[in-house]
Amino acid sequence: MPRMTTLLQSDDGLLYATLADHLAQAIHSGEVRTGERLPSVRSLATRYHVSISTAVQAYRHLENQRLIEARPKSGYFALRPRVSLPEPTQSKPPQAPRFVTTSTLFVDYIKTFDRPDVVNLGALLPDPTLFPNEKLARILGNVARRQARLAGAYSGGVGEDQLRHAIALRGLENGCRFGAGEVVVTNGCVEALNVCLRAVAKAGDVIALESPTYFIMLQMIESLGMKALEIPTHPRTGISLEAFDLATQKKGAVRALMITPSFSNPLGSLVPEANRRALVQLCEARGIAIIEDDIYGDLHFTGARPLPCKAWDRTGNVLLCSSFSKTLVPGYRLGWAVPGRYFEDVVVLKRIGSVFTAPLTQLAVAEYMESGGFDHQLRKLRKTLSGNADRIGELVAETFPEGTRMTRPEGGYVQWVELPAKINTVDLFYRMRELGIHTSPGALFTSTPRFKNAIRFTLGMEWSRKFEQAIARVGATAIELGK
Amino acid sequence: MPRMTTLLQSDDGLLYATLADHLAQAIHSGEVRTGERLPSVRSLATRYHVSISTAVQAYRHLENQRLIEARPKSGYFALRPRVSLPEPTQSKPPQAPRFVTTSTLFVDYIKTFDRPDVVNLGALLPDPTLFPNEKLARILGNVARRQARLAGAYSGGVGEDQLRHAIALRGLENGCRFGAGEVVVTNGCVEALNVCLRAVAKAGDVIALESPTYFIMLQMIESLGMKALEIPTHPRTGISLEAFDLATQKKGAVRALMITPSFSNPLGSLVPEANRRALVQLCEARGIAIIEDDIYGDLHFTGARPLPCKAWDRTGNVLLCSSFSKTLVPGYRLGWAVPGRYFEDVVVLKRIGSVFTAPLTQLAVAEYMESGGFDHQLRKLRKTLSGNADRIGELVAETFPEGTRMTRPEGGYVQWVELPAKINTVDLFYRMRELGIHTSPGALFTSTPRFKNAIRFTLGMEWSRKFEQAIARVGATAIELGK
């Protein structure tokens, strides 16, 4: 067992992550052998001069990575390390905000996934078999008959009370205290993000983002004439608090932070609780609205559901956005915003954007939620996603060029792979498209000329041999392109 | 029968309207008695030095106003003129474009119609009984079961082919030659207008509008940092071609025209065919995109369905927007855009605005359309709307203050009333709101300080005595306010 004589130092003060890395290295190197017992939490804490809770967190992290296992009443034991690639490092975007310009790449990209015959490795379009479609069909049929009159009516602009109530209840379970009256039901999370962004910012304003980030956020910023400021982001712990602090010190420099703290897209990073709390406080103090995309929050592979930033919001400065599209029913287009102090503005923007959200599907989802099936559905889904992450991880390690790095997500729908620098993944995208394989090139996820060697994998497939073959094909083509 | 010695002259070259007015005056004054036969089309044309087709158009117009009736093989006969008020005159907005600022009035206005107990005279929220809700419920239930898998799927961003095909077919019947592939299905007409506006214009651009105009168009322009330029508009023949011509002579002065040529909101005006053609040509020549809101086009009370401006569009410069919300099924939120040469931009904006429109309700509507029930539904609806226009017209004539003017719409969902200048209808709105009566003050329909003495009536009610009482109450309160 290696020793460190000095106190651990960490870039973002995340002691536990540094400690976990240190131990992981020892396991990978063989210094700690498979099956060997690790120090107790108490002796780990003493040895590295950290608190008990930091030691616990470090072990939990290694469990998530399946490098150790906890045996009841015996302690922690090293597992055989899977073939696994090193993780990408923290991103280093340029420090100036910039207007966004969409390339033709985006248009080609969305055109490709409208084709039904492709093997989809890239687009975040879950397989329909992941969802309880038959049960929902029965409920919707019943609701449509019982509430036929709703088809003929203009409903309220904020959504159906029954669904708003169900959303507020889940919020409460996740540590967020908002009432049903604070919820605005939207056409999916994207509409929620859109109205929230327009409620807090106007053309010319600067919006801070993770880097890389969800391309639809960049597109929105472009279409509204705002500027994007990408912040250095770590593939495991998310946005760098130090970098964000530095970038926002000048009053008014940044109008809003658009962030996916839980299993971000495309990195899959998970912002630690301490950093969430710090972000909420920092943004409140500096007049920066937080638009929080929590769409993957329910999809943690292990441990407890991460609390949204909204859980620490005491002033209504966090605009929480989410949806059922990644967990229950993509085809209903049901999302929501809890816009805090921007509620009235969001209501007006929703009204002038799409008037109201169709009520029948809202009632169907509310009934489904009341039936108690949602938690079972989530458990099943998490298992599928986490299994796919393992499979893809192994296949990439086997078939991709030497020097490839890969994230190890602890939840969510994505895995991010960085290939050797000379491999251009836009070329790769077009090459694979010809073969009927859909990949997501890294260039989509930034407003700057970076990530040209990265691709994002989706985890939302019903696994089959065709995905194995497709991944091997991508790997082989990448090796060829790197020559 | 009066004679005119000179050639008829008309402000906007609309000979038929001037001739019709002239004859209407003769009927109202008693110069032509009830039951008396009018000159044949041929002799009318000779007498007034106009073409046969102008004479026919003038008679058709008088028929629409129920001042004459055609008896087969006998000719045209004067009817007893209904008690009717003079029409408002053409609007005179200021000539400079301006940014839009929403008052708290709009927020209060939408809050009021979210209340279920009010007697709604103002908001354009049709009574649910006007629609075939039960039949749609059966179809939706069947579709949901048959196509359960669609609940679990991300569909294409442009909509379901079956519905796009049905929309293209109706378009063809209305003189528009666009294919199913040119249709983008949206969450109601408002989303269609929104994405089209964003596709053609950016912050700072000037958008020309009718005056008064649909308030959601003004709100959109405000929320996007664009400028509104209101154009003089006649309550019967719509936007003034001369004024529009003048306002757009400077290259680049106006980026787009947002217009509802068929039964506009709130005036109910109907732009004559000649003017539609001229507008399309003028806008094409000057690089001004036309965003055409055709949502009321199917709701003509008499005669043939007016052709949309899109029917004359040869270059893809007209972005046609419409929906099923005012004719078939408000609660499904289904609209569409046919954005012509802006198709790709609209597809991207739809994608980043709400990704795609929920497919099951689209398929339900497509099946309903194929069942052939839509034309029957339209006939029934037109009769209700036109009957309500008559009733409201008579009640306003009886109970409103002297000096009141009122439009005589030939289709659509609205009737516009101008009260004597000293009566402030925002005051009236708040007074009536206390009594549980919802009215639409004219101030909502402009970005300028005008129409403070106007209100808009909805025609979409299932008539009952409570509406009579409510209108009388509004009239009495208006008289009181005018003292």
Side-chain angles (χ1 to χ4, degrees), chain A residues 321-459:
Chain A
C321 299
S322 192
S323 94
F324 295 106
S325 301
K326 294 292 188 277
T327 52
L328 182 64
V329 60
Y332 282 6
R333 311 303 312 125
L334 287 180
W336 64 89
V338 184
R341 72 169 83 136
Y342 297 96
F343 181 81
E344 298 254 316
D345 298 306
V346 164
V347 169
V348 169
L349 287 163
K350 164 69 184 171
R351 174 83 57 175
I352 67 176
S354 63
V355 191
F356 64 99
T357 302
L360 292 172
T361 42
Q362 293 184 52
L363 294 178
V365 168
E367 269 192 32
Y368 176 90
M369 301 287 285
E370 286 159 18
S371 81
F374 192 46
D375 285 311
H376 171 72
Q377 160 63 13
L378 288 178
R379 277 192 299 275
K380 215 185 80 187
L381 183 57
R382 285 183 202 121
K383 214 173 140 186
T384 304
L385 299 173
S386 132
N388 288 344
D390 287 351
R391 289 186 194 98
I392 293 172
E394 278 165 29
L395 286 162
V396 169
E398 281 168 26
T399 64
F400 271 47
E402 209 169 316
T404 296
R405 291 170 171 265
M406 183 169 51
T407 56
R408 296 176 205 135
E410 296 176 39
Y413 260 96
V414 289
Q415 205 154 9
W416 176 259
V417 172
E418 286 180 9
L419 297 152
K422 65 195 278 202
I423 298 171
N424 184 319
T425 54
V426 173
D427 294 344
L428 186 65
F429 164 76
Y430 286 109
R431 285 279 288 270
M432 299 323 294
R433 195 171 70 151
E434 277 168 34
L435 304 173
I437 296 170
H438 187 59
T439 59
S440 295
L444 287 172
F445 301 92
T446 179
S447 58
T448 66
R450 292 173 307 131
F451 306 120
K452 286 182 171 163
N453 58 326
I455 61 173
R456 181 195 71 177
F457 280 100
T458 175
L459 306 178

Side-chain angles (χ1 to χ4, degrees), chain B residues 392-406:
Chain B
I392 293 171
E394 279 166 28
L395 286 163
V396 168
E398 281 167 25
T399 63
F400 270 47
E402 209 169 316
T404 296
R405 290 169 172 268
M406 183 169 52

